[in-house]
Amino acid sequence: TPSAIQKIKQLLKDKPEHVGVKVGVRTRGCNGLSYTLEYTKSKGDSDEEVVQDGVRVFIEKKAQLTLLGTEMDYVEDKLSSEFVFNNPNIKGTCGCGESFNI
């Protein structure tokens, strides 16, 4: 989303050695999977690259099918600010919202 693009641009402004962010999934939590998001200095051999409005997002190979069709957003409210993934593939989430299953 435009909000996520602006936030990533802002975060990368102070990190000239990084070319973008990498999104993945890890086995974790009570429901199986959770998202990972980290700075990256280069594209991995099997990463999928998505470029939107000058922002480069790399998707780890093992997360590509899990994240197919997912929208990444950045949301701020009075109590928190966070990247949110709107994933149409999710079948269920845990009560705390920290993990999901496909």
Side-chain angles (χ1 to χ4, degrees):
T1 64
S3 178
I5 290 168
Q6 287 307 110
K7 186 60 179 181
I8 292 171
K9 282 182 178 179
Q10 178 187 356
L11 291 170
L12 289 173
K13 185 185 265 187
D14 299 331
K15 300 187 179 323
E17 70 278 9
H18 294 92
V19 297
V21 294
K22 186 178 289 196
V23 179
V25 292
R26 298 282 181 265
T27 303
R28 194 179 116 194
C30 45
N31 224 356
L33 298 170
S34 66
Y35 299 105
T36 63
L37 184 62
E38 60 191 19
Y39 298 107
T40 187
K41 294 181 180 180
S42 63
K43 178 182 185 280
D45 291 337
S46 56
D47 291 345
E48 179 75 25
E49 181 177 0
V50 177
V51 180
Q52 188 166 336
D53 297 328
V55 170
R56 297 171 74 188
V57 176
F58 303 96
I59 304 168
E60 292 178 348
K61 181 176 178 147
K62 67 180 181 177
Q64 290 171 10
L65 289 176
T66 304
L67 296 174
L68 193 64
T70 298
E71 175 189 70
M72 183 175 157
D73 195 6
Y74 183 74
V75 179
E76 290 185 77
D77 62 30
K78 292 180 181 180
L79 298 176
S80 67
S81 59
E82 64 185 336
F83 284 100
V84 175
F85 295 88
N86 299 311
N87 188 337
N89 306 305
I90 290 178
K91 301 283 189 258
T93 60
C94 65
C96 63
E98 291 295 318
S99 63
F100 62 95
N101 65 49
I102 302 279

